Amino acid sequence: MKQFGGSVLFLDRADINTDEIIPAKYLTENTKQALKPYLLEDLKLEGFNSKTDVAGKKVIITRENFGCGSSREHAPWALEVNGIYVVVAVNFARIFRQNMYNCGMMAIEMDKKSIEDMFRTFADKDAEAKIVFNDDGTAKVKIIAGSLSKSYPFKLDDFEKALVENEGWIGFADNKY
């Protein structure tokens, strides 16, 4: 099963679109792995360098409307081959969000106040995130930086959880049908 957590990449911008996640010129690549070096190559964000800032990151925390623009599976695939299985944002473009879960990844929606607190508290630190599923059905994102840690609850419906547990739609269908 995929590991849902690790070093955090904070992207302090709303409306990061699929062309910025993986530029359209790479959509003709024949394998998911071929997309790996191009993740976030065209993202325009002050102080961000895709060649140095993405390596080793496992979780993205960002603002509103992540994954807007053209609907394509390549955007989650580019995240996946880079080991980024979790994106936390206020909200997502509908098709992008579903594509994340279809790939067995998590697009966690969090209220704006919590996202703001994450940026204020952790964005300037070397932070790690853990996704915690509790026995009572609740879930949370726990962020840790040194001795500082905070937890932020989120909701995951049963079908989304099943997709994650089965590593995506294909695994779910194989186990269910």
Side-chain angles (χ1 to χ4, degrees), residues 79 83 146:
L79 294 168

Side-chain angles (χ1 to χ4, degrees), residues 1 32-33 53 68 95 103 109 117 121 147 154 162 169 172:
M1 188 164 159
K32 288 181 187 181
Q33 197 62 34
D53 295 344
C68 59
I95 293 173
C103 291
E109 293 185 331
D117 187 68
T121 307
S147 61
F154 70 93
W169 176 250
F172 174 79

